[in-house]
């Protein structure tokens, strides 16, 4: 098993920051149709698989047990999920609903049923599955699940996003890569092949919409992560590392800010809405971290999800 040195640790944080940008593309699609809209959607399906792959990579050899990991993720999720839920209900004038109805909607919101928060419960499910089931079996089951796509009878609560087998492929591959001790070096042939594959996806934009639940786009997600890894090796900077360390907080808290900017940047400005929202959230998250650091609020650090 490969030991994670300081340089590789920084590269992982940088990859997380790149994956986070992809999440913004996923949550802020263009309102117009065409190749640029397809590109936005294509960029939007890279982040979540990358996060699962990196989570699987880091899960191997971790000193923390499952309960500790669950606490680190669930406490910030409950905090931010509750805040964003209250804002969402207030904006939709939904407080007129009955209390039991609000509680049910809050639970759905926090677990990611119809909200952005599916990543945490699905990741915890992946961590449990790999304890009892071989990674190769999980990969086969995941490919089957993704291959079936939306033919699986999902409901209002259990959605495709909450199906762990749609994402455990990437988590398992991350674990296997860490266990193999294999170093994926920069290779001219592999680079050329990856770029050709990306160009191929860019050329078929009229055929189908990019999706996590379409097995045709699994190679694109994996190749994109490889290309990002090569790119990060060349341009790795302290600010990318810092954003990576803020990624969990930004992911948990960004939805209303992204939604606000998404609905107000129209016309030619629409193409710039993702970087604007991303920069705004980075500034907000960094400011919160700076204030907590100055005040030495260690409990709030953990509550909000800062690293």
């Amino acid at each position: 098993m490969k030991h994670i040195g300081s340089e590789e640790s920084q590269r992982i944080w940088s990859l997380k920051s790149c994956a986070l940008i992809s999440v913004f593309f996923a949550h802020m699609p263009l309102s117009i149709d065409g190749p640029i809209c397809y590109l936005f959607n294509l960029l939007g399906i890279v982040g979540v698989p990358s996060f699962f792959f990196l989570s699987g990579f880091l899960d191997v050899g971790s000193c923390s047990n499952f309960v500790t990991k669950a606490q680190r993720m669930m406490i910030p999720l409950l905090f931010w999920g509750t805040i964003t839920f209250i804002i969402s209900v207030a904006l939709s004038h939904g407080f007129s609903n009955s209390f039991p109805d609000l509680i049910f909607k809050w639970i759905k919101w926090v677990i990611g049923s119809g909200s952005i928060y599916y990543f945490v419960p699905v990741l915890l499910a992946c961590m449990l599955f790999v304890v009892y089931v071989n990674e190769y079996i999980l990969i086969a089951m995941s490919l089957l699940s993704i291959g079936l796509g939306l033919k699986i009878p999902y409901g209002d609560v259990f959605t495709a996003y909450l199906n762990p087998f749609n994402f455990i492929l990437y988590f398992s591959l991350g674990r296997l890569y860490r266990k193999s001790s294999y170093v994926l070096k920069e290779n001219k042939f592999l680079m050329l092949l990856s770029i050709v594959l990306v160009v191929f996806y860019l050329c078929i934009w009229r055929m189908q919409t990019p999706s996590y639940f379409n097995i045709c786009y699994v190679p694109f997600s994996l190749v994109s992560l490889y290309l990002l890894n090569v790119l990060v090796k060349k341009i790795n900077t302290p600010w990318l590392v810092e954003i990576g360390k803020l990624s969990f907080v930004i992911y948990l808290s960004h939805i209303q800010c992204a939604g606000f900017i998404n609905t107000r940047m129209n016309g030619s400005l629409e193409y710039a809405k993702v970087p604007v929202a991303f920069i705004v959230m980075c500034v907000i998250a960094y400011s919160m971290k700076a204030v907590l650091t100055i005040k030495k609020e260690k409990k709030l650090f953990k509550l909000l999800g800062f690293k």
Side-chain angles (χ1 to χ4, degrees):
M1 184 176 67
K2 293 188 295 185
H3 171 71
I4 299 178
S6 175
E7 184 178 341
E8 188 170 17
S9 177
Q10 289 187 333
R11 189 164 70 251
I12 290 172
W13 285 121
S14 297
L15 282 170
K16 285 188 174 185
S17 69
C18 295
L20 182 63
I21 297 173
S22 171
V23 170
F24 276 74
F25 277 101
H27 296 160
M28 302 177 71
L30 289 180
S31 60
I32 56 176
D33 196 13
I36 302 300
C37 179
Y38 175 80
L39 178 61
F40 263 61
N41 293 333
L42 203 57
L43 292 172
I45 64 169
V46 175
V48 171
S50 297
F51 274 123
F52 276 108
F53 184 95
L54 294 172
S55 297
F57 182 87
L58 295 170
D59 187 58
V60 177
S62 173
C63 298
S64 301
N65 58 37
F66 177 79
V67 174
T68 301
K69 293 175 184 176
Q71 287 177 339
R72 287 176 182 170
M73 289 187 282
M74 286 303 298
I75 291 174
L77 171 62
L78 288 171
F79 176 82
W80 286 110
T82 301
I83 289 178
T84 56
F85 175 75
I86 292 171
I87 295 173
S88 177
V89 172
L91 291 175
S92 62
H93 307 287
F95 283 114
S96 59
N97 295 332
S98 65
F99 183 72
D101 187 45
L102 282 174
I103 292 297
F104 178 67
K105 288 183 177 180
W106 171 76
I107 293 172
K108 284 183 62 181
W109 180 271
V110 170
I111 67 171
S113 178
S115 75
I116 65 168
Y117 295 122
Y118 64 91
F119 175 78
V120 173
V122 170
L123 178 57
L124 291 174
C126 290
M127 289 178 176
L128 279 177
F129 276 123
V130 295
V131 175
Y132 303 103
V133 185
N134 179 274
E135 283 98 341
Y136 292 102
I137 295 175
L138 290 172
I139 289 173
M141 295 174 68
S142 186
L143 288 171
L144 177 62
S145 180
I146 299 170
L148 290 173
L150 299 180
K151 294 178 182 178
I152 297 174
Y154 295 108
D156 292 334
V157 177
F158 182 66
T159 66
Y161 291 93
L162 282 174
N163 180 358
F165 293 104
N166 285 334
F167 300 101
I168 203 167
L169 163 70
Y170 307 104
F171 186 82
S172 299
L173 287 174
R175 285 178 57 85
L176 290 173
Y177 180 58
R178 177 78 182 279
K179 287 179 179 180
S180 70
S181 298
Y182 176 73
V183 178
L184 191 61
K185 297 180 180 179
E186 184 178 337
N187 180 285
K188 289 183 179 180
F189 175 75
L190 192 57
M191 280 279 292
L192 180 61
L193 187 63
S194 300
I195 293 170
V196 168
L197 188 59
V198 169
V199 171
F200 166 75
Y201 281 101
L202 291 172
C203 292
I204 62 170
W205 66 272
R206 289 185 180 274
M207 295 180 62
Q208 50 194 327
T209 302
S211 171
Y212 303 128
F213 319 118
N214 185 334
I215 200 165
C216 296
Y217 286 93
V218 170
F220 174 78
S221 298
L222 295 172
V223 165
S224 297
L225 179 57
Y226 166 70
L227 291 176
L228 281 175
N229 185 51
V230 172
L231 181 64
V232 162
K233 282 183 179 179
K234 296 182 180 298
I235 63 166
N236 200 11
T237 60
W239 64 267
L240 268 180
V241 175
E242 189 60 36
I243 292 173
K245 292 179 180 179
L246 298 172
S247 59
F248 191 44
V249 175
I250 294 174
Y251 153 68
L252 292 174
S253 62
H254 80 278
I255 190 61
Q256 266 96 24
C257 176
F260 179 84
I261 294 173
N262 192 47
T263 56
R264 283 160 178 80
M265 292 187 69
N266 301 311
S268 59
L269 291 176
E270 190 173 14
Y271 299 108
K273 63 185 181 181
V274 168
V276 169
F278 183 74
I279 292 170
V280 168
M281 282 308 306
C282 287
V283 171
I284 292 173
Y286 187 80
S287 299
M288 285 193 293
K289 183 177 181 180
V291 170
L292 293 177
T293 302
I294 293 171
K295 291 183 174 292
K296 298 181 180 179
E297 294 285 354
K298 292 184 178 180
K299 290 184 178 179
L300 281 177
F301 240 72
K302 294 181 179 179
L303 176 66
L304 297 180
F306 286 106
K307 300 296 183 182

